[in-house]
Amino acid sequence: MMMKMKSSVRGSAAASAAMCCLVLLITTADFCNGGVTSRFVRKPEESQDMPLDADVLRVPPGYNAPQQVHITQGDHEGKGMIVSWVTQDEPGSSKLIYWTENGKKQAAYGLITTYDYYTYKSGYIHHCNLKNLEHDTKYYYEVGTGGNNTRQFWFKTPPKVGPDVPFTFGLIGDLGQTFDSNATLTHYENNPIGGQTVLFLGDLSYADNHPNHDNVKWDTFGRFIERSAAYQPWIWTTGNHEIDYAPEIGETKPFKPFTHRYHTPYKASISTAPHWYSVKIGSAYIIVLSSYSAYGKYTPQTEWLEKELPKVNRSETPWLIVLVHSPWYNSYNYHYMEGETMRVMYEPLLVQHRVDLVFAGHVHAYERSERISNVAYRVVSGDCKPAKDDDAPVYITIGDGGNIEGLANNMTEPQPEYSAYREASFGHATLSIKNRTHAYYT
Ligand SMILES: *[C@@H]1O[C@H](CO)[C@@H](O)[C@H](O)[C@H]1NC(C)=O
Ligand SMILES: *[C@@H]1O[C@H](CO)[C@@H](O)[C@H](O)[C@H]1NC(C)=O
Ligand SMILES: *[C@@H]1O[C@H](CO)[C@@H](O)[C@H](O)[C@H]1NC(C)=O
Ligand SMILES: *[C@@H]1O[C@H](CO)[C@@H](O)[C@H](O)[C@H]1NC(C)=O
Ligand SMILES: *[C@@H]1O[C@H](CO)[C@@H](O)[C@H](O)[C@H]1NC(C)=O
Ligand SMILES: [Fe+2]
């Protein structure tokens, strides 16, 4: 399925027309009050985690060789990259060497952190923030220098931000590390559209589904995604499986494994916590929100978002995209209305600032909404129906990366009017932005 979208500097009539066309074209499944419900289920049974000795989870050979290498954008504009890796046996070298095709080698030094979780002790987690990189340039880098277990990788920095800069994002949520997760990642890697950066919608390793939140699963997840995440930035959203709050085993600091292992460039957007922040990439302004951090009135996240949205310059970044884990519009019988309190708090802001797209995960299925809002809600009048709204974003749930918990296939019936398309499936999506008016979502 492919849909065409126009950004907020759009002619709304044209945008609606494009979306109507889409709905008409794909009305082959049963038609309810709302849009289309596809009964296709790729595989109904839950998937198993890949075993510790699976080919794609292997520890790289050699003593203390760097593993779990992954990168994420390191600043607001795309001239920085945070490179992270783990050395298991000893701290090893925190030096990173990087160079361009014809440039000379440069060195940067990272910081090392470790953490304990119940009886688990982490390896040495390195984070190195490369700064002042050239845009649109291929960089090679080496970690584990000094020993004979040096490993080499490469990445390409994003182009300079501008209103008509084309850029292709991959979208993955709720990935985990099952055989289905591996199929999803393989499909993404083989997708001819060529995703340049992954927007990840939360729920990474699912370590917390194992006894005592077996943190070895955090290590295997890191090794699993390395084949993609070492070569292109993954932009991280935190999900409920990142909370790892387990007072019964004395683990009371929320997000402990995640925050040690996955850094985000939150300070660059004047955020005070790694779970909510923004980055500019191509012609898109990406705002990451946290479903599991406080979002009431006067909370740090709310104060940040209220200041953040007016800063977006739509002449520079016409596309305004929000990532969040728990969906605000969800017509499945899973996690039903879990996103409702955050919707009540933030939806008026998003409509006011004409956000184009809101991506979520959490519900292990796919769903796309019409451009609707529900900002008229008043307890006293009971007025609370989503209504067509050209200023409102399209909401897309893509929480179907293939994790251990299986697919969500129990839907509320009939399909609500605001829901344009839904299908229990697993996989990834791509968003290919062409210029300030056109983007293709598949
Ligand atoms: C290289 O690694 C091997 C084992 O993997 C080790 O025995 C050897 O001492 C290492 N050599 C150097 C120069 O570090
Ligand atoms: C995972 O997928 C890759 C192909 O991308 C394949 O080579 C590998 O054997 C798969 N591993 C498992 C455990 O399914
Ligand atoms: C917004 O971006 C445009 C295009 O990059 C630039 O010309 C303009 O000065 C910016 N406006 C503000 C207020 O920064
Ligand atoms: C689907 O969810 C509804 C609401 O939670 C529940 O009553 C029903 O039994 C579920 N159906 C199946 C087949 O699990
Ligand atoms: C924007 O991209 C679309 C799709 O590729 C193309 O049809 C359109 O001509 C482009 N607009 C401009 C102004 O280049
Ligand atoms: Fe979740």
Side-chain angles (χ1 to χ4, degrees):
M1 184 187 71
M2 181 175 264
M3 67 185 281
K4 192 164 141 186
M5 294 189 152
K6 302 192 88 191
S7 78
S8 267
V9 286
R10 64 197 172 225
S12 353
S16 314
M19 294 194 48
C20 285
C21 280
L22 167 84
V23 171
L24 291 176
L25 284 172
I26 58 178
T27 307
T28 47
D30 42 342
F31 192 83
C32 315
N33 290 6
V36 174
T37 292
S38 157
R39 299 290 169 195
F40 175 70
V41 176
R42 193 177 306 275
K43 198 178 125 204
E45 48 307 338
E46 289 170 14
S47 190
Q48 296 299 310
D49 266 5
M50 293 181 281
L52 273 179
D53 62 355
D55 52 358
V56 292
L57 305 183
R58 265 185 213 134
V59 175
Y63 173 74
N64 209 36
Q67 52 168 284
Q68 306 175 46
V69 181
H70 55 90
I71 63 173
T72 194
Q73 184 158 317
D75 67 357
H76 208 229
E77 311 282 333
K79 293 182 75 170
M81 200 69 85
I82 301 172
V83 182
S84 307
W85 70 97
V86 174
T87 48
Q88 201 56 48
D89 308 298
E90 53 175 282
S93 174
S94 58
K95 186 175 178 183
L96 179 152
I97 296 172
Y98 65 106
W99 65 96
T100 58
E101 203 78 63
N102 301 311
K104 67 176 197 317
K105 293 196 172 181
Q106 287 178 273
Y109 293 85
L111 295 173
I112 300 178
T113 182
T114 60
Y115 72 93
D116 294 347
Y117 194 93
Y118 191 50
T119 56
Y120 170 92
K121 283 192 182 334
S122 77
Y124 301 89
I125 305 168
H126 301 247
H127 299 284
C128 182
N129 200 345
L130 303 178
K131 294 179 179 143
N132 299 315
L133 304 172
E134 298 294 322
H135 280 295
D136 214 2
T137 302
K138 187 171 182 179
Y139 283 87
Y140 297 88
Y141 67 100
E142 275 181 6
V143 287
T145 57
N148 57 4
N149 302 317
T150 301
R151 296 183 66 205
Q152 191 182 308
F153 304 88
W154 56 264
F155 61 78
K156 222 181 145 196
T157 48
K160 189 169 157 43
V161 171
D164 292 301
V165 174
F167 200 85
T168 299
F169 294 100
L171 290 138
I172 303 178
D174 306 71
L175 184 58
Q177 46 191 307
T178 70
F179 292 93
D180 291 343
S181 319
N182 194 37
T184 296
L185 189 56
T186 302
H187 277 129
Y188 174 61
E189 291 172 304
N190 295 343
N191 190 329
I193 226 165
Q196 297 165 270
T197 286
V198 171
L199 303 179
F200 192 84
L201 301 161
D203 286 357
L204 286 70
S205 74
Y206 288 75
D208 60 348
N209 279 353
H210 299 273
N212 302 317
H213 296 224
D214 186 2
N215 271 232
V216 169
K217 290 283 180 183
W218 274 107
D219 289 313
T220 49
F221 179 81
R223 295 202 290 272
F224 164 50
I225 62 162
E226 182 189 89
R227 68 187 209 236
S228 170
Y231 298 92
Q232 62 171 254
W234 284 40
I235 304 297
W236 299 110
T237 310
T238 38
N240 51 308
H241 289 280
E242 277 68 73
I243 304 173
D244 281 314
Y245 172 72
E248 67 282 8
I249 52 172
E251 291 300 342
T252 55
K253 195 172 186 303
F255 306 114
K256 191 188 199 181
F258 175 81
T259 45
H260 280 86
R261 292 168 182 274
Y262 293 90
H263 277 192
T264 66
Y266 67 98
K267 287 180 184 157
S269 53
I270 332 291
S271 162
T272 49
H275 315 295
W276 62 87
Y277 62 97
S278 68
V279 284
K280 297 196 271 190
I281 305 174
S283 53
Y285 200 105
I286 315 276
I287 292 183
V288 179
L289 297 178
S290 176
S291 298
Y292 308 100
S293 304
Y295 45 78
K297 191 80 185 157
Y298 315 121
T299 60
Q301 184 171 202
T302 299
E303 300 215 335
W304 176 82
L305 185 63
E306 283 169 349
K307 288 199 191 80
E308 179 68 9
L309 282 165
K311 284 184 194 164
V312 182
N313 179 350
R314 302 299 277 270
S315 308
E316 186 194 34
T317 50
W319 295 90
L320 181 49
I321 296 170
V322 170
L323 314 182
V324 67
H325 186 62
S326 188
W328 301 354
Y329 285 97
N330 162 34
S331 73
Y332 285 79
N333 279 320
Y334 295 83
H335 303 304
Y336 184 63
M337 281 183 73
E338 281 183 20
E340 186 66 2
T341 47
M342 194 188 216
R343 181 192 71 72
V344 169
M345 279 304 299
Y346 289 169
E347 188 183 24
L349 275 173
L350 267 54
V351 174
Q352 183 195 336
H353 292 279
R354 305 191 75 197
V355 169
D356 295 295
L357 289 157
V358 178
F359 289 105
H362 200 40
V363 177
H364 301 158
Y366 178 74
E367 183 163 27
R368 175 173 56 83
S369 79
E370 302 288 354
R371 242 180 235 292
I372 39 94
S373 72
N374 189 4
V375 290
Y377 182 62
R378 297 286 178 277
V379 165
V380 283
S381 66
D383 187 1
C384 63
K385 218 170 147 18
K388 292 240 174 209
D389 185 344
D390 282 336
D391 285 347
V394 168
Y395 293 86
I396 294 178
T397 302
I398 176 154
D400 52 0
N403 61 74
I404 196 173
E405 293 176 347
L407 286 173
N409 54 8
N410 184 346
M411 304 167 183
T412 61
E413 303 292 352
Q415 183 172 14
E417 264 173 58
Y418 70 75
S419 170
Y421 191 89
R422 53 186 191 171
E423 178 182 297
S425 186
F426 61 83
H428 74 278
T430 58
L431 176 68
S432 201
I433 298 179
K434 300 296 178 194
N435 53 36
R436 73 185 73 190
T437 56
H438 286 66
Y440 296 87
Y441 174 79
T442 59

